[in-house]
Amino acid sequence: MEQINAVGRRKAAIARVYVKEGNGEITINKRTLADYFPNPILQYIVKQPLSTLDVAEKYDIKVNLVGGGYKGQAEALRLAIARALVKINPEDKSALRKEGFMTRDPRAVERKKPGQPKARKRFQFSKR
């Protein structure tokens, strides 16, 4: 099997993933998964598509992650891995979609409006 690549995005985070056959190593920006995401919850988020299809020990994954915070990066990586797995085996798409791993979360930060301190917050009203 040749190398399969996919992109996942969430908020400001972008994950570019390169998947090839191997023994389950995940390398993020030349660091291990446990080194890059010390939080076990974030490690779980990243591995969700692999564990759903029971292929965690089958593929080596190399990742370039940029932008955003750690939670957004983990969710961007989850989407990228799910997209790569579907490129490898299209029959897996329905199982991943049922779990919600194929949907790009469209929520992002709302822009600041002129004449206001933040997107929705208003300056204090003064009657006199």
Side-chain angles (χ1 to χ4, degrees):
M1 176 188 118
E2 77 286 348
Q3 187 168 280
I4 302 286
N5 59 330
V7 177
R9 293 185 184 88
R10 169 78 172 97
K11 291 167 95 169
I14 302 169
R16 287 190 298 279
V17 163
Y18 305 93
V19 179
K20 61 180 196 249
E21 295 221 358
N23 52 9
E25 287 181 28
I26 300 176
T27 310
I28 305 168
N29 295 350
K30 298 180 180 164
R31 291 157 65 187
T32 63
L33 175 68
D35 189 32
Y36 195 87
F37 291 119
N39 187 338
I41 294 165
L42 296 177
Q43 292 176 27
Y44 171 76
I45 286 172
V46 168
K47 292 178 181 174
Q48 276 180 312
L50 298 166
S51 55
T52 301
L53 301 176
D54 293 323
V55 293
E57 305 301 312
K58 198 172 171 189
Y59 301 113
D60 280 349
I61 301 172
K62 184 177 163 292
V63 185
N64 289 341
L65 254 178
V66 291
Y70 48 85
K71 179 88 155 83
Q73 285 187 345
E75 292 182 10
L77 180 50
R78 177 175 70 184
L79 175 62
I81 290 171
R83 284 178 172 173
L85 291 172
V86 167
K87 278 187 182 178
I88 292 167
N89 186 3
E91 288 96 67
D92 295 335
K93 188 170 185 175
S94 60
L96 291 170
R97 180 165 295 289
K98 192 170 70 94
E99 297 291 328
F101 302 148
M102 294 304 296
T103 307
R104 197 268 198 227
D105 194 334
R107 294 175 296 170
V109 178
E110 190 175 337
R111 79 176 194 86
K112 181 194 171 301
K113 314 298 187 307
Q116 296 174 205
K118 288 159 71 174
R120 303 271 174 120
K121 187 176 177 147
R122 304 280 201 265
F123 287 117
Q124 185 171 345
F125 175 74
S126 170
K127 199 165 190 177
R128 282 179 232 343

